[in-house]
Amino acid sequence: MKPFMGNDFLLSNDTAATLYHDYAAKMPIIDYHCHINPQEIAEDRKFENITQVWLGGDHYKWRQMRSNGIDERLITGDASDYEKFLAWAATLQKAIGNPLYHWSHLELKTYFGYEGTLSPETADEVWNLCNQKLATKEFSARNLIRRSNVTVICTTDDPIDSLAWHKQIAEDASFDVQVLPAWRPDKAMNLEKPDYLNYLTKLSAVSGIKITSYADLKEALRVRLAFFASMGCKVSDHGLEFVMYAPADESNVAAIFEKRLSGEMPTLEEQLRFKSAFLLFMGKEYHRLNWAMQLHYGTRRDNNTRLFRAIGPDTGFDCINSINCAAELAAFLNALNETDELPRTILYSLNPIDNAAIGTIIGCFQDSSAIGKIQHGSAWWFNDNKTGMTEQMTSLANLGLLSNFIGMLTDSRSFLSYTRHEYFRRILCNLVGTWVENGEYPADMKFLGKMIEDISYHNCVRYFGF
């Protein structure tokens, strides 16, 4: 029996162990999609206790605490940080088979040197150990990034953001990690939201373009795109329930937008036509700017209306949206490709049954403009576990070229989440190592070692141009 989380954790054979220890483990990290607050990096935040760095904003953990019957007061409520930590300790012990059990213990081992397991019996020991170390300068936000061997971080930022914290970080010569903005224009697209007109007022103010027409909206967005580009932005991101493609001519889209400006809500069909046009416009702008486009889709958000109203979005009430939009996704990419304006694109579906569809769609639009131009993004959100990662990479290998994959991202708000890259790399090496051990690929360690290093780091550098 292997020891819990030993040196060869998740590595089931000699080839896998060699690939991980000799190649993957040493590679730096590029976190090209996350939800880290850049202010905390700029100010080099220091955390008072493990709850602040571990449980604050982590809806993965909150969901499991609710599954364990924990009162909301001990999750997002006014309980003390110590009480919340004890509630998490009581939950984690039950999380066998859940990636949170692995992630949490990887973080305790990697950052705090704790070799045991967290449970109600060890909670005080872990609490005191972590808090003692967090009180030192080595555990500030920036130093956690440095010790994780991170070279680039891309945050998630709205077009109206000032990017003041990014500017402050970039001008600080004492910190050599690139912290770049990533463009997330969902609020400019979602015209059905109650606060949409208020948002347009803010966009008008920061762009200097008074938005009284769809043409004005596009011009205001171009102004902000130029600003983001000047701040080093190289990637966009869209959070969608599904990828839509409902073509409409420019005059029709303009009329739909003017209808919303007047205070009248467009019909569902009109909303789809507007959003399709918006996404096409954005895609063409990304191509012009040589940015990569990320499409995250397959999510149904805020399903628990009562608690959503009480504690807000991004608090653990989202689920998989089972809408099959493969045809629309293919049509959307084709529309951009028709005019040779398809940017490098990364596709993520929250629904794992979409893996094969994505694998076949990306193969339709690869070309010589970029190696692996259209990417099947890393297993996302509910799928970034051992099973989900293995299925995503196996599907990609079956239908495309795993060697050109750009690898892992944290998609996290925590400065301790960089161990997810280790988790991913171990799973990748075990997958490849098992194929080799089974005689399904030759034991060409020179090529395989380089491939593992590429997927871990170099492919990402090349793909985004970091």
Side-chain angles (χ1 to χ4, degrees):
M1 180 174 65
K2 283 187 174 183
F4 172 65
M5 206 167 283
N7 194 47
D8 288 339
F9 173 58
L10 297 177
L11 305 172
S12 63
N13 54 68
D14 291 342
T15 304
T18 298
L19 289 173
Y20 178 73
H21 295 300
D22 292 357
Y23 299 97
K26 66 184 180 181
M27 299 309 295
I29 288 172
I30 291 179
D31 197 13
Y32 57 87
H33 174 68
C34 74
H35 298 278
I36 289 289
N37 184 347
Q39 180 178 353
E40 294 181 342
I41 302 175
E43 296 178 341
D44 199 15
R45 180 181 176 184
K46 296 178 177 62
F47 300 91
E48 295 176 9
N49 58 61
I50 184 62
T51 297
Q52 290 183 4
V53 70
W54 225 18
L55 292 171
D58 192 338
H59 50 82
Y60 285 82
K61 294 186 177 78
W62 295 349
R63 285 173 67 98
Q64 301 314 318
M65 292 166 78
R66 293 182 188 119
S67 296
N68 199 33
I70 302 295
D71 189 272
E72 195 66 32
R73 174 178 172 272
L74 295 165
I75 303 172
T76 61
D78 61 1
S80 69
D81 286 347
Y82 177 66
E83 290 175 300
K84 291 178 178 179
F85 176 77
L86 292 181
W88 171 239
T91 300
L92 185 62
Q93 188 178 42
K94 297 182 177 182
I96 185 170
N98 191 296
L100 286 169
Y101 197 83
H102 291 157
W103 294 350
S104 297
H105 286 100
L106 274 174
E107 291 164 7
L108 289 175
K109 182 178 181 178
T110 300
Y111 294 104
F112 301 100
Y114 184 70
E115 299 281 351
T117 58
L118 177 60
S119 68
E121 291 72 29
T122 62
D124 281 340
E125 176 189 5
V126 175
W127 173 262
N128 292 327
L129 170 68
C130 293
N131 292 348
Q132 287 171 7
K133 295 197 172 186
L134 285 167
T136 67
K137 65 180 181 180
E138 287 79 11
F139 282 76
S140 69
R142 291 189 180 191
N143 283 327
L144 286 170
I145 293 169
R146 289 187 181 103
R147 69 184 295 179
S148 303
N149 199 18
V150 178
T151 61
V152 180
I153 296 171
C154 294
T155 58
T156 304
D157 309 279
D158 190 273
I160 68 172
D161 288 349
S162 71
L163 306 185
W165 299 114
H166 295 83
K167 184 174 187 294
Q168 182 174 321
I169 295 166
E171 293 174 349
D172 186 347
S174 68
F175 188 62
D176 60 358
V177 178
Q178 289 190 78
V179 180
L180 304 176
W183 172 269
R184 180 76 174 251
D186 296 354
K187 291 182 179 179
M189 183 183 79
N190 293 335
L191 79 171
E192 79 281 6
K193 298 295 185 182
D195 60 349
Y196 185 71
L197 298 182
N198 290 333
Y199 178 81
L200 292 182
T201 299
K202 296 174 184 177
L203 180 58
S204 292
V206 298
S207 66
I209 305 293
K210 186 176 181 180
I211 300 174
T212 61
S213 67
Y214 181 53
D216 293 336
L217 173 65
K218 293 194 292 184
E219 184 57 30
L221 291 169
R222 286 192 186 98
V223 169
R224 299 305 293 170
L225 284 164
F227 172 63
F228 270 61
S230 75
M231 295 295 292
C233 182
K234 296 176 184 290
V235 61
S236 70
D237 182 45
H238 295 259
L240 308 167
E241 285 199 3
F242 57 93
V243 179
M244 67 286 296
Y245 183 69
D249 60 39
E250 190 79 1
S251 62
N252 184 238
V253 176
I256 294 168
F257 186 70
E258 288 168 10
K259 182 177 182 179
R260 184 67 180 96
L261 286 180
S262 73
E264 186 180 352
M265 185 62 68
T267 66
L268 289 177
E269 181 181 350
E270 289 171 333
Q271 292 174 31
L272 287 177
R273 293 190 184 282
F274 174 81
K275 290 180 178 183
S276 296
F278 185 97
L279 285 172
L280 286 169
F281 165 70
M282 286 282 91
K284 293 176 180 180
E285 290 298 310
Y286 304 149
H287 180 268
R288 177 179 64 82
L289 293 165
N290 196 28
W291 288 6
M293 173 173 68
Q294 296 180 98
L295 300 179
H296 285 87
Y297 67 93
T299 310
R300 180 177 171 86
R301 297 186 182 273
D302 308 322
N303 294 285
N304 188 327
T305 305
R306 179 176 61 82
L307 283 179
F308 167 71
R309 288 172 178 164
I311 58 180
D314 302 321
T315 49
F317 305 113
D318 305 329
C319 68
I320 291 172
N321 188 336
S322 62
I323 294 176
N324 185 337
C325 62
E328 288 79 6
L329 172 60
F332 169 69
L333 297 177
N334 186 58
L336 290 169
N337 195 59
E338 274 285 282
T339 56
D340 197 21
E341 293 175 286
L342 176 61
R344 283 166 288 127
T345 301
I346 312 168
L347 303 173
Y348 314 78
S349 173
L350 196 57
N351 194 335
I353 68 172
D354 291 342
N355 282 343
I358 290 175
T360 59
I361 289 169
I362 67 175
C364 298
F365 300 103
Q366 308 288 21
D367 60 40
S368 61
S369 64
I371 297 174
K373 177 179 178 178
I374 314 299
Q375 290 275 330
H376 183 179
S378 183
W380 171 45
W381 197 346
F382 298 128
N383 302 312
D384 56 0
N385 50 60
K386 180 182 175 182
T387 301
M389 291 180 191
T390 301
E391 289 180 351
Q392 182 269 338
M393 287 188 281
T394 300
S395 180
L396 174 56
N398 282 336
L399 298 168
L401 292 177
L402 179 64
S403 300
N404 292 335
F405 183 32
I406 59 172
M408 187 57 172
L409 62 162
T410 67
D411 193 24
S412 174
R413 294 167 173 80
S414 172
F415 291 96
L416 300 184
S417 291
Y418 299 114
T419 52
R420 294 184 189 179
H421 285 260
E422 176 183 344
Y423 194 61
F424 165 83
R425 292 174 185 183
R426 286 177 178 269
I427 292 166
L428 166 66
C429 290
N430 191 65
L431 180 65
V432 173
T434 300
W435 288 334
V436 173
E437 295 275 343
N438 286 344
E440 298 175 52
Y441 194 89
D444 180 353
M445 299 307 287
K446 181 179 179 181
F447 171 78
L448 291 170
K450 181 179 184 301
M451 182 188 76
I452 293 298
E453 290 179 346
D454 286 346
I455 295 171
S456 298
Y457 183 73
H458 295 301
N459 287 349
C460 195
V461 174
R462 182 194 69 240
Y463 188 80
F464 293 105
F466 292 134

